[in-house]
Amino acid sequence: MSMTAAVCNAFRGSILHFLTNPGEAGADHSYQFIPDGLIVVENGRVLALGGYAELHPTLPAGTQLTDYSGRMILPGFIDTHIHYSQTDVIASPGKQLLDWLEHYTFPAEGRFDDMNHATEVAGFFLDELLRNGTTTALVFGTTHRQSLDAFFAVAGQRALRMVAGKVLMDRNCPEFLRDTSDSAYADSAALIERWHGQGRLGYAITPRFAVTSSDAQLAQVGELARTYPEVHIHTHLAENMDEVAWVAKLFPWSRSYLDVYDHYGLLRERAVYAHCIHLDEDDRQRMVDSGATAAFCPTSNLFLGSGLFDLAGVLDSGMRVGVATDVGGGTSFSMLRTLGESYKVAQLRGYTLPSLQAFYLATLGNAKALGLDDNIGNLAPGKEADFIVLDPESTPLMARRMRSATTLIERLFIFMTLGDDRAVAATYILGELVHTRACLPSAENLSNE
Ligand SMILES: [Zn+2]
């Protein structure tokens, strides 16, 4: 290890990150846990990771050390499905999906033709993600091209790794949100050319769902996907039974809902399908074979009464799977809350989700699901230094419960069952502090070596 550069930052705390899927490998080798660890960051990337006692003497003079002893440093959480344009829709009671879209979501999304509104919401949304320890997300905008110009501009200013796309929909929605197959293609292509690969930004081709796109538009979406094989594809699939029935009516030639997307060439790696609750065996096999990803959104599925995702079945099948908030159908920006609800949904399907598997999903698993694990997902040297600090004493109840926990597995389970944004003591982007909880004395711990 060479540390010749002048400016390094080092962070001390207990450190946890994953190397592989604990569901596949032996649990001993799937993660690295360093009870008193040190992470060294240079130029926004992890330079070194190891035990404090070994690494500390090697730090060059002038290294700034931040001491988070007693707290846990993890890679930033990743959210594989969220709508920034639904920030103001969260906690709106509806009947189920189709009614909720009509009464809350579509009117709210109509406001995003205003660049100032879009910019203000994007800023709040990204603040909220960072407060919750989420450092990367796959994000829906609205049909308005400017909703993405606003989002990417704000995310780019903050040097965030974010993937987002303009919603494509040309039917079964209000006139003020409708595009056409031609404008959908042209606007998406223009946004890809402008934003994809700028800094850490990425683009996702984003048809809302099969219900709101005509055959002509889906054919154009397929053409976009062929023209830009490097970008993501992001949409919804088999969330709600009424939706599934409507798709069968709109596409009478299709074998299944998934078959509609398959027909237009939208199944591939880096294609992320939110929900995937109501799939049959053939659908599952196509998901596995194509390398597409299912995004499990437990708080949304419970809130909208959509159904219980078969997490165990999906994990067993070898399908790529991510876990996601789906705000605003989802009820929390917090991945800790989302893991807690994932556990409960899995319980109702007869599967007890281990806490190690849950934290793997929210970090390295979601990075792999999005195909971004070369850069993010764990704290291996060379990775981008997006990380968070969890405080096991973030509430009196959590502090009390943590005192009787003796193992890492227990402590993680307490974080995911009792934790929320209050448990996120600090969030770092490329090694720079972007969020800290006001009550914490972390500034006092800064010292020059
Ligand atoms: Zn959604």
Side-chain angles (χ1 to χ4, degrees):
M1 178 176 62
S2 73
M3 292 188 190
T4 51
V7 183
C8 282
N9 288 290
F11 304 87
R12 181 183 188 180
S14 62
I15 298 174
L16 172 70
H17 71 151
F18 289 87
L19 309 173
T20 59
N21 182 351
E24 288 172 2
D28 289 350
H29 307 293
S30 66
Y31 66 92
Q32 186 178 17
F33 179 63
I34 311 169
D36 183 12
L38 196 67
I39 176 170
V40 186
V41 175
E42 184 186 59
N43 295 326
R45 289 186 182 264
V46 178
L47 181 65
L49 181 76
Y52 177 81
E54 297 85 64
L55 271 185
H56 184 253
T58 72
L59 296 176
T63 300
Q64 188 158 59
L65 177 71
T66 304
D67 194 341
Y68 286 115
S69 292
R71 298 177 194 141
M72 194 182 290
I73 297 172
L74 296 101
F77 293 132
I78 299 167
D79 190 338
T80 54
H81 176 67
I82 187 167
H83 301 249
Y84 102 84
S85 50
Q86 294 176 13
T87 300
D88 294 320
V89 175
I90 193 169
S92 299
K95 289 179 186 166
Q96 289 203 337
L97 172 68
L98 301 173
D99 173 80
W100 181 83
L101 284 173
E102 186 182 335
H103 286 99
Y104 298 107
T105 301
F106 289 154
E109 291 192 1
R111 296 185 61 196
F112 285 74
D113 62 344
D114 174 356
M115 187 83 176
N116 290 331
H117 176 70
T119 300
E120 188 276 329
V121 176
F124 180 90
F125 171 87
L126 292 170
D127 284 347
E128 194 64 17
L129 286 183
L130 297 171
R131 265 176 18 82
N132 281 281
T134 298
T135 50
T136 288
L138 176 59
V139 181
F140 258 68
T142 68
T143 31
H144 312 97
R145 184 171 149 181
Q146 56 269 41
S147 77
L148 272 300
D149 283 327
F151 180 82
F152 282 130
V154 177
Q157 281 158 14
R158 299 173 182 213
L160 300 175
R161 184 167 282 289
M162 289 283 157
V163 183
K166 176 199 121 61
V167 172
L168 310 171
M169 55 178 178
D170 67 348
R171 65 169 170 176
N172 295 321
C173 65
E175 189 62 43
F176 60 83
L177 287 177
R178 206 166 291 185
D179 56 14
T180 67
S181 44
D182 288 342
S183 75
Y185 188 97
D187 285 349
S188 298
L191 285 164
I192 291 168
E193 301 289 347
R194 178 166 182 197
W195 295 109
H196 184 74
Q198 291 295 317
R200 296 204 289 164
L201 303 176
Y203 196 82
I205 298 166
T206 310
R208 173 166 233 117
F209 62 153
V211 163
T212 48
S213 287
S214 65
D215 282 275
Q217 181 167 76
L218 287 172
Q220 291 280 42
V221 172
E223 185 57 36
L224 265 174
R226 278 186 294 281
T227 305
Y228 298 100
E230 69 279 17
V231 306
H232 284 79
I233 296 169
H234 186 197
T235 188
H236 299 96
L237 169 65
E239 176 176 4
N240 167 288
M241 290 307 287
D242 290 344
E243 169 210 16
V244 172
W246 197 2
V247 170
K249 245 179 163 169
L250 291 169
F251 303 91
W253 49 263
S254 63
R255 189 196 65 76
S256 69
Y257 190 161
L258 181 73
D259 186 46
V260 175
Y261 295 132
D262 202 3
H263 177 79
Y264 290 107
L266 304 182
L267 284 186
R268 68 178 190 200
E269 292 186 9
R270 290 184 308 287
V272 179
Y273 290 88
H275 306 304
C276 296
I277 298 170
H278 310 288
L279 299 184
D280 66 19
E281 276 313 308
D282 290 349
D283 291 334
R284 285 185 184 205
Q285 199 54 50
R286 272 301 291 146
M287 290 288 290
V288 173
D289 293 344
S290 64
T293 291
F296 170 31
C297 310
T299 73
S300 170
N301 297 161
L302 293 170
F303 184 72
L304 293 173
S306 301
L308 302 173
F309 183 82
D310 180 13
L311 181 59
V314 164
L315 288 170
D316 283 349
S317 74
M319 192 190 304
R320 289 185 192 217
V321 60
V323 64
T325 64
D326 192 27
V327 166
T331 52
S332 174
F333 278 77
S334 168
M335 288 304 294
L336 292 172
R337 299 293 327 113
T338 302
L339 295 181
E341 298 306 291
S342 299
Y343 178 87
K344 296 174 193 169
V345 169
Q347 284 284 66
L348 288 167
R349 299 285 312 236
Y351 171 58
T352 300
L353 173 64
S355 59
L356 281 171
Q357 182 75 45
F359 276 81
Y360 165 79
L361 283 173
T363 56
L364 185 60
N366 275 355
K368 285 179 181 289
L370 296 181
L372 298 175
D373 50 308
D374 283 351
N375 287 305
I376 57 171
N378 68 14
L379 300 173
K383 293 283 180 84
E384 295 165 355
D386 292 351
F387 61 90
I388 60 175
V389 181
L390 293 185
D391 179 6
E393 300 185 337
S394 63
T395 66
L397 177 62
M398 182 186 281
R400 181 184 176 93
R401 180 65 184 85
M402 285 285 184
R403 280 198 287 276
S404 60
T406 56
T407 66
L408 172 66
I409 287 169
E410 279 180 273
R411 294 168 77 79
L412 292 177
F413 193 75
I414 294 167
F415 271 129
M416 67 187 249
T417 304
L418 298 180
D420 53 30
D421 56 300
R422 293 170 293 179
V424 179
T427 304
Y428 285 81
I429 293 295
L430 297 175
E432 299 290 330
L433 182 68
V434 295
H435 164 70
T436 188
R437 283 189 64 79
C439 56
L440 288 167
S442 58
E444 294 171 16
N445 291 331
L446 289 172
S447 63
N448 284 311
E449 290 296 294

